[in-house]
Amino acid sequence: MTLLKIVTYPDPFLKQPTKPVTDIDDQVQKIIEDMAETMYAASGVGLAAIQAGFDKSIIVYDPTADAEKKDFQVLINPKILFSEGSMISDNEGCLSVPDFRSDVKRSERVIVEALDRNGNPLKIEAEGLLSVIMQHEIDHLKGVLFIDHISALKRQLYKKKRQKALKSG
Ligand code: NI
């Protein structure tokens, strides 16, 4: 297994919409394994392929972030079919957005349709934390980051802080 380099803001690669997976082949399986490994190594609860340098519609997640059990889920070509209610995510963060966290307004419940890693159709009803993870990761596949959901002023402040940090190495 290979640890992948996580693409970070403001890399424009993160802004591009991903392509649907048409063939779940060995290359895709390898990407999935490497993504999971990378997610656990970074103590994340979710990772989208675009964050690992692949413009493919794949996400892995594990709300427990338990690197011993590695009981992660894979969604290929996920789509939100239905969403309702509203909630504030608690201190949301992203492996591609270093040193920043924010509460974000999210739907409380979603129903997601996707394929599993064997190509079988899945339908997942999620609420609470799992619902936030789904919305956050599916956003990534559309080129959207969680900081796109916060105020322009807060985003601008983070952008400046990030540019400063990048400059000073
Ligand atoms: Ni993220």
Side-chain angles (χ1 to χ4, degrees), residues 46-48 51 93-97 136-137 140 145-146:
L47 190 74
Q51 296 179 271
C94 178
L95 297 176
S96 291
V97 182
H136 179 118
E137 299 308 331
H140 271 300
L145 297 174
F146 83 101

